[in-house]
Amino acid sequence: MKKRMNENMKLSEALENFVSTNKLQKGLDKVNVKDVWNEQMGPGIVKYTTAIKLEGSTLFIQLSSSVLREELSYGKDRIVKILNEALKKELITKLVLR
């Protein structure tokens, strides 16, 4: 069992330390991407989204509407930019619509 740290620490610092120590950042990024997609794309697009998967720096989005998939394919770069700005880091480099 680890010794208890005697120094005072901010809660945010303690959480960051916990996440980095336990290597949880990739899992948190996957959850954050799903939340940001739902928030930024709006209910009209979310309704047709069936799966969201982040593998490395590639975001895979499965859509149930081929028409919507075609429309979104024209603005892939813009969507990646919007999602990265909302995530506050360059996490996504490629968007694949299925």
Side-chain angles (χ1 to χ4, degrees):
M1 191 174 227
K2 290 186 177 181
K3 284 187 173 182
R4 186 175 190 173
M5 299 173 84
N6 289 331
E7 61 189 54
N8 292 335
M9 191 180 239
K10 288 183 179 180
L11 182 59
S12 60
E13 292 173 359
L15 288 173
E16 287 175 11
N17 189 16
F18 179 78
V19 168
S20 64
T21 303
N22 295 307
K23 300 176 184 171
L24 301 174
Q25 192 58 49
K26 286 183 182 180
L28 289 174
D29 287 341
K30 290 179 182 183
V31 171
N32 289 340
V33 165
K34 290 179 183 181
D35 291 340
V36 167
W37 175 266
N38 292 335
E39 177 185 304
Q40 294 296 318
M41 300 311 289
I45 294 174
V46 171
K47 184 170 77 172
Y48 294 103
T49 304
T50 57
I52 301 169
K53 186 175 184 183
L54 180 66
E55 288 184 7
S57 63
T58 303
L59 180 62
F60 294 92
I61 303 292
Q62 188 167 357
L63 299 166
S64 60
S65 169
S66 60
V67 175
L68 179 61
R69 182 173 47 249
E70 186 67 27
E71 287 294 318
L72 291 179
S73 69
Y74 295 124
K76 282 184 180 180
D77 294 333
R78 185 167 179 259
I79 293 170
V80 168
K81 183 179 175 185
I82 290 169
L83 295 175
N84 282 331
E85 285 176 3
L87 289 165
K88 298 178 180 143
K89 60 181 168 180
E90 293 293 319
L91 185 64
I92 304 166
T93 57
K94 185 177 177 184
L95 177 65
V96 177
L97 300 170
R98 296 182 182 173

